[in-house]
């Protein structure tokens, strides 16, 4: 089937409605068999649990077109597992890993003509999500839920190459209420919106959140984990049980160790140490790695010697290797690549 006619290089990162979405409903203690539907609208009771108490979790992953026309997704099993963890933390019923991967397969295959061509820099973004649907007024979990996956093509995250960004050390507390920082839930994002708008108003691209308990250690930004490169070429990344366990970060750590022969340290990183690093990047599914050129800590600039004008050399190697694996150009570790059967 030939692709839809879109200007792939210029579609940006926004919602474009596609042909089909996957839906499954949970009722009377069980998920139904699920199906694909053409209807992009969700009609809910006015008192639905998600509308009252924000009982909703989500995931994000991408499907890529290879040079020989196949369609690949990257480690969807990890998204499935993380969504189960997120759901449990918000007292929602888990959607099994097998069902999740089956739903990914079906929804991508049904929208294959929206998977951007190889080399365009664009990809198909998948957004699995789940929310409480039945009326809830007393504070308690819903008893009925809907699981959905929508897909939308997204353009290259960086138009004209990755330009390093400037971030500030945030005075706002951790985006996520304590104890929910390690789950992917809309409530954490809602709590971060004010800090993001404020950062943008002050001319910064992002917030660096510190641990909310001591305000001493680096945590993450609103939607991406940090990686740092030391002057002697080690990869260092924050150890914390209140940051979201990024799949991109886990993959980059593996690539650093096993493909690039680098040392990797996951440990607490005091803010005072940040000025010692050679490179800094933000990692997540959307951009893979966004290089950070400068961190501003209350009027003091911390500039990274590599990466003020372009991605630093080690960050670039990590980026090229991981994206090569994701696009099927570089051989992947066992189980990382999941091919969609068409
Ligand atoms: C999604 C997300 C990330 C990035 O995780 P990936 O699995 O790499 O996409 C990082 N931090 C937060 C808070 C997130 O929600």
């Amino acid at each position: 089937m030939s692709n839809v006619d879109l200007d792939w290089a210029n579609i940006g990162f926004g919602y474009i409605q596609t042909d089909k979405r996957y839906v499954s409903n949970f009722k009377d203690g069980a998920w139904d068999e699920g199906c694909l539907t053409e209807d992009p609208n969700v009609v809910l009771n006015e008192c639905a649990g998600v509308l009252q108490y924000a009982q909703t979790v989500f995931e994000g992953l991408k499907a890529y077109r290879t040079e020989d026309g196949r369609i690949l997704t990257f480690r969807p099993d990890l998204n499935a597992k993380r969504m189960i963890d997120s759901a449990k933390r918000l007292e929602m019923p888990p959607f099994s890993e097998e069902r999740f991967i089956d739903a990914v397969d079906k929804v991508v295959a049904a929208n294959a003509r929206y998977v951007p061509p190889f080399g365009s820099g664009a990809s198909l973004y998948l957004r699995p999500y789940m929310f409480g649907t039945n009326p809830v007024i007393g504070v308690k979990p819903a008893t009925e839920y809907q699981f959905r996956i929508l897909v939308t093509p997204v353009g290259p995250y960086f138009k004209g190459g990755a330009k390093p960004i400037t971030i500030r050390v945030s005075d706002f507390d951790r985006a996520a209420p304590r104890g929910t920082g390690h789950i992917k839930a809309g409530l954490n994002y809602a709590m971060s919106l004010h800090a993001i708008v404020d950062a943008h108003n002050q001319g910064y691209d992002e917030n660096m959140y510190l641990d909310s308990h001591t305000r001493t250690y680096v945590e993450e930004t609103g939607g991406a984990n940090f990686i740092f490169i030391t002057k002697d070429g080690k990869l260092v990344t924050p150890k914390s049980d209140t940051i979201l366990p990024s799949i991109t970060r886990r993959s980059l750590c593996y690539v650093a160790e096993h493909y690039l022969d680098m040392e990797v340290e996951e440990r607490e990183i005091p803010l005072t140490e940040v000025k010692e690093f050679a490179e800094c990047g933000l990692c997540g599914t959307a951009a893979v790695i966004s290089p950070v050129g400068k961190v501003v800590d209350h009027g003091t600039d911390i500039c990274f010697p590599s990466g003020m004008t372009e991605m630093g050399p080690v960050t670039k190697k990590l980026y090229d290797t991981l994206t090569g694996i994701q696009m099927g150009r570089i051989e992947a570790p066992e189980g990382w690549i999941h091919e969609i059967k068409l």
Side-chain angles (χ1 to χ4, degrees):
M1 196 178 357
S2 65
N3 265 353
V4 291
D5 189 20
L6 284 169
D7 180 9
W8 299 109
N10 293 303
I11 52 177
F13 202 94
Y15 173 72
I16 295 170
Q17 192 177 308
T18 56
D19 293 339
K20 299 275 175 69
R21 59 282 303 130
Y22 181 90
V23 185
S24 179
N25 289 297
F26 181 88
K27 195 178 173 172
D28 300 327
W31 289 103
D32 69 14
E33 69 279 14
C35 65
L36 293 168
T37 169
E38 283 176 11
D39 187 357
N41 297 304
V42 179
V43 178
L44 285 173
N45 181 273
E46 61 188 349
C47 205
V50 60
L51 299 178
Q52 303 310 324
Y53 300 121
Q55 214 186 359
T56 178
V57 296
F58 70 97
E59 271 302 324
L61 68 160
K62 284 176 169 175
Y64 307 89
R65 179 87 63 179
T66 63
E67 197 160 11
D68 57 3
R70 297 174 301 138
I71 299 175
L72 308 179
T73 53
F74 182 69
R75 310 185 80 179
D77 53 317
L78 298 187
N79 294 98
K81 290 190 175 90
R82 192 169 63 188
M83 193 163 180
I84 291 170
D85 291 342
S86 298
K88 285 182 176 163
R89 182 64 180 77
L90 295 192
E91 290 295 329
M92 303 167 79
F95 196 75
S96 77
E97 185 177 329
E98 298 68 42
R99 289 286 312 270
F100 183 102
I101 290 174
D102 178 59
V104 165
D105 286 344
K106 287 186 169 125
V107 76
V108 175
N111 294 288
R113 65 198 194 103
Y114 290 91
V115 181
F118 175 82
S120 64
S123 53
L124 188 74
Y125 184 72
L126 281 68
R127 170 55 60 87
Y129 57 115
M130 187 202 292
F131 47 92
T133 52
N134 65 297
V136 171
I137 197 83
V139 179
K140 58 175 184 286
T143 53
E144 295 174 13
Y145 294 88
Q146 188 163 94
F147 171 92
R148 299 178 76 97
I149 304 180
L150 70 82
V151 303
T152 186
V154 291
Y157 198 80
F158 304 112
K159 284 197 201 74
K163 296 278 179 301
I165 59 169
T166 299
I167 65 179
R168 64 152 186 205
V169 176
S170 177
D171 280 333
F172 292 100
D173 213 344
R174 179 75 179 80
R178 239 180 262 173
T180 62
H182 59 292
I183 67 169
K184 213 166 175 71
L187 69 96
N188 291 337
Y189 279 77
M191 293 305 294
S192 74
L193 294 177
H194 179 62
I196 290 172
V197 170
D198 189 69
H200 290 172
N201 287 342
Q202 317 264 341
Y204 301 105
D205 297 298
E206 263 294 351
N207 290 294
M208 170 187 275
Y209 295 107
L210 303 178
D211 75 289
S212 58
H213 189 54
T214 70
R215 303 196 55 76
T216 309
Y217 297 102
V218 176
E219 291 260 290
E220 60 171 334
T221 66
N225 283 184
F226 279 104
I227 55 165
F228 297 99
I229 307 298
T230 63
K231 286 174 187 142
D232 59 356
K234 270 187 225 162
L235 190 161
V236 184
T237 190
K239 185 179 179 69
S240 161
D241 55 12
T242 52
I243 64 179
L244 196 278
S246 157
I247 294 164
T248 313
R249 176 173 98 156
R250 282 180 261 171
S251 305
L252 287 168
C253 288
Y254 185 94
V255 163
E257 210 174 321
H258 296 94
Y259 284 66
L260 303 177
D261 208 22
M262 291 166 60
E263 265 181 64
V264 174
E265 289 177 0
E266 187 185 344
R267 59 168 168 83
E268 288 184 334
I269 302 176
L271 176 60
T272 51
E273 188 185 349
V274 170
K275 61 179 185 304
E276 310 298 334
F277 294 122
E279 298 176 35
C280 172
L282 301 179
C283 60
T285 295
V288 182
I289 312 178
S290 316
V292 176
K294 185 159 86 174
V295 176
V296 180
D297 177 16
H298 300 90
T300 304
D301 287 0
I302 304 168
C303 297
F304 297 101
S306 275
M308 283 289 286
T309 51
E310 55 181 15
M311 210 181 249
V314 180
T315 305
K316 179 87 170 60
K317 255 193 262 173
L318 286 162
Y319 178 88
D320 288 344
T321 310
L322 184 57
T323 52
I325 291 170
Q326 290 172 331
M327 308 278 174
R329 268 186 285 111
I330 295 175
E331 192 175 346
E334 179 72 31
W336 279 25
I337 296 300
H338 178 78
E339 184 170 343
I340 306 292
K341 280 162 212 72
L342 298 173

